[in-house]
Amino acid sequence: MVEPKYRRILLKLSGEALMGEAGYGISPEVMFKIAREIAEVHALGVSMGIVIGGGNIFRGISGAAKGMDRARADYMGMLATLINALALQDALELEKVPSRVLSALEVRAVAEPYIRGRALRHLEKGRVVIFACGTGNPFFTTDTAAALRALEIKAEVLFKATKVDGVYSDDPIKNPAAQKYNSLSYDEVLSRGLKVMDATAISLAREYGLPVLVFDMLKSGNIKRAVCGENVGTLIGG
């Protein structure tokens, strides 16, 4: 059996990546593919928390830009993450992976309320814990929620799984000459204004020395490779 480098991780999944080739919603093919990859990592005995975005359904900042009240738009975005969390839980159950959804907003009919001690107990029992509704507060992104939850569950690393294979000097889709970085310091990310995570999340990771690994979640086997310490994506801090 492959020996994992990390024993407890926090995986941040991009909501937009769940759309697949569609322009909106959840692609079942993408969701089941991610669930299979998570199952592979779970089989290694790795303890895992997951924070999932909601941009495939609704983004609070986009709603605010169109005239909505920002706080209300952010709450709508939080509920979008809950929809994604429930979909991921369903996919994980099909892979025989025990999981629990813990929500920062109380929606008791479908999810447990987030309590740190409860989350830790679920992890100790070998369950994947999916954290929904961000921090439960408007004006904070799911990136910041991921950094916060990673620290709360004492994760060794924060994995940010996106649609690109690392951090680039510019948008690699728009600029083919963009340079990919293999590693960066927290200060380099902040000073260069690299759009990998919001400044609050990076600052929180820097303050507590939490490494952040950014990689392509749509490439088969990448989550397992990252857990096993292979050279995947871009390492920030660490």
Side-chain angles (χ1 to χ4, degrees):
M1 179 180 288
V2 179
E3 185 69 20
K5 177 179 179 179
Y6 305 105
R7 289 295 178 181
R8 177 166 293 178
I9 68 170
L10 191 291
L11 177 64
K12 166 61 170 61
L13 295 175
S14 162
E16 288 90 338
L18 299 179
M19 296 185 294
E21 299 301 320
Y24 178 82
I26 300 170
S27 164
E29 292 79 12
V30 172
M31 186 65 80
F32 292 137
K33 176 180 180 295
I34 292 170
R36 286 193 295 272
E37 301 217 7
I38 291 172
E40 289 181 358
V41 174
H42 183 264
L44 297 176
V46 175
S47 180
M48 185 186 311
I50 299 174
V51 169
I52 190 165
N56 56 318
I57 299 172
F58 188 86
R59 288 177 61 84
I61 194 168
S62 298
K66 295 177 182 177
M68 293 184 67
D69 176 77
R70 174 61 192 270
R72 186 172 293 112
D74 278 353
Y75 281 119
M76 292 171 65
M78 291 179 216
L79 294 174
T81 72
L82 179 58
I83 293 172
N84 285 338
L86 293 172
L88 179 59
Q89 182 185 35
D90 185 74
L92 288 174
E93 286 183 357
L94 292 174
E95 294 295 325
K96 310 300 182 187
V97 177
S99 62
R100 296 290 187 274
V101 175
L102 271 60
S103 173
L105 297 179
E106 287 202 25
V107 193
R108 290 179 179 270
V110 295
E112 299 177 31
Y114 172 72
I115 299 171
R116 178 175 178 261
R118 179 177 293 180
L120 292 171
R121 285 196 298 274
H122 284 319
L123 291 169
E124 289 164 3
K125 291 180 179 179
R127 298 165 182 153
V128 172
V129 177
I130 308 169
F131 299 105
C133 295
T135 65
N137 300 289
F139 307 103
F140 290 93
T141 67
T142 49
D143 282 344
T144 299
L148 176 63
R149 297 293 183 243
L151 293 170
E152 287 184 302
I153 67 170
K154 299 182 180 180
E156 299 168 73
V157 63
L158 167 55
F159 286 168
K160 178 162 182 179
T162 69
K163 296 188 291 185
V164 294
D165 62 343
V167 182
Y168 285 78
S169 57
D170 196 6
D171 187 336
I173 298 175
K174 299 178 181 178
N175 180 8
Q179 174 191 357
K180 179 188 173 186
Y181 302 108
N182 290 323
S183 62
L184 290 162
S185 69
Y186 305 111
D187 289 335
E188 286 174 325
V189 173
L190 294 171
S191 63
R192 297 178 189 179
L194 299 174
K195 304 299 182 183
V196 51
M197 299 180 83
D198 67 85
T200 304
I202 290 294
S203 297
L204 188 59
R206 177 182 63 178
E207 183 172 354
Y208 293 96
L210 174 69
V212 179
L213 182 66
V214 183
F215 63 92
D216 181 1
M217 76 178 194
L218 298 180
K219 184 176 180 181
S220 295
N222 258 5
I223 300 176
K224 184 176 180 180
R225 292 187 192 99
V227 166
C228 293
E230 293 186 29
N231 186 18
V232 176
T234 302
L235 182 64
I236 300 169

